[in-house]
Amino acid sequence: MTLDEFLEACRRLADEAPARIALAASPAEFADVRTQLVGRKQGRLADLMTQLATLPPDARRDAGRAINDVKSTIEQLLDEREASVRAATRADGALDLSMPSRRRWKGSLHPVTLVIDEIAEIFRELGFTIALGPEAETEFYNFTALNFPADHPAMELHDTLYLGEDTLLRTHTSPVQVRTLQQYAPPVRILAPGNVYRRDFFDATHAPSFMQLEGLAIDEGISFVDLKATLSEFARRFYGSTRRVRFGPSYFPFVEPGAQMDVEVDLGDGKGVRWVEILGCGMVHPNVLSAAGVDSERYTGWAFGMGPARIAMSRHGIPDIRVLYDSDVRFLEQFAR
Ligand code: PHE
C-alpha cells in the first residue's frame, strides 16, 4: 500500500462512519457497529493500523496523523450516539415516569460556624484580624498571666481538664490575649475563635467542649468608651439596629472593670423579646499587660469573650445545646443556603 492509498482508505472510513453510526438504533446494533469500526482485533481502524506498519518509514508521520484524526472523529460520534441510544431505550419502557423523585440532600455549614463567620466579618470591618492559639495550654497562659489568684476555684480540678502537671486544655480563649501581646507590639486588634474545654456535664445547657470568640483591642488612650462603642456597634450590625443593648457589671480576674453585655432578643418561644447575656468584657487588667511584657502605663485596652453556640441557640430558638453536636442531617440541613 502507498501513502496515497492509505490516506484514501482513511477518508473513506471517515465518510462512511457517520451514516453507519446513525443507523444503530438498539444497544445491540450499536455494540456491533462499534466493534466493526474501532474493535481492537478485527475493526476497520485496526486493519488500517496494521497497514500503517507496512508503509515506508518516511510516510508514517502523515499516515499516523490521518488515522488519529479518523479515530477521534469516530470515537466522538460513537460516544454521542451511545448516549442517545441509551436514553431512547430507557424511555421505551425501563423508565417509570410515575416514580417519586429521589430526595436531594444539600449540605450546609454548621449554625455555629455560620455565627462565627458572620461575627468575624463584622469585626474585620471594624479593623480586627484573626489570631489563633493552642488548645493545649500551660497554667501560665490559661491562669497565671491572666491574673487569676492562686486559690481561684476555676483552677481546681473539677473545672479544668489537666493533661499533666502544668499542661491543661484551655478553659477559655483568653490565653490568646497573652500570646498575641507577647508576639506583637500594640496597637493590637484581634479576634480569636477556638475550642475550649471544661470538666462539665453534657446536658441541655453545658458541653465539655465548645467554641469561644475572644476579642482584644490594645493601644494608647483606649478607654471604656471604645469598648462600649465598638461592642454596641457590633450588636447593631449583628442583631439589627432595633435591638437594645445594655451593659452591667461582672467579674473576671483579667479585666477591671469587668462587664457583661446583654441584648434584647426574641427567642422565638412566643414570650417576646427579653434580655440575653451575649458576652463578658472589660478593660484589660494592668497585671495582664505586664505579664505579657506590655508597658501598662503607656497602653490600655479592652477584651471580650463570647460563646457562638449560645448566640446560635438564642438566634434560632434552639433549646438544647446537644443538637449542635449530633451531626443530624435533618437538623443541619435547615441551615443550608
Ligand atoms: N474568658 C472569659 C470566659 O471564659 C470571657 C471574657 C473574655 C471575659 C474577655 C472578659 C474579657 O468566660
Side-chain angles (χ1 to χ4, degrees), residues 171-174 177 198 210 212-215 252 254-255 259 279-282 302-306:
T171 58
H172 52 176
T173 42
S174 300
Q177 291 186 31
R198 288 185 195 172
F210 55 95
Q212 266 197 350
L213 269 177
E214 189 86 9
F252 303 94
F254 37 93
V255 286
L279 53 82
C281 57
W302 51 269
F304 69 88
M306 60 183 149

Side-chain angles (χ1 to χ4, degrees), residues 9 50 103 117-118 125 148 159-160 189 201 211 282 284 308 324:
T50 317
R103 183 141 163 39
D117 288 353
E118 209 177 302
E125 287 165 5
F148 277 75
D159 276 328
T160 308
R189 274 186 169 73
F201 287 111
M211 277 283 193
V284 176
L324 297 174

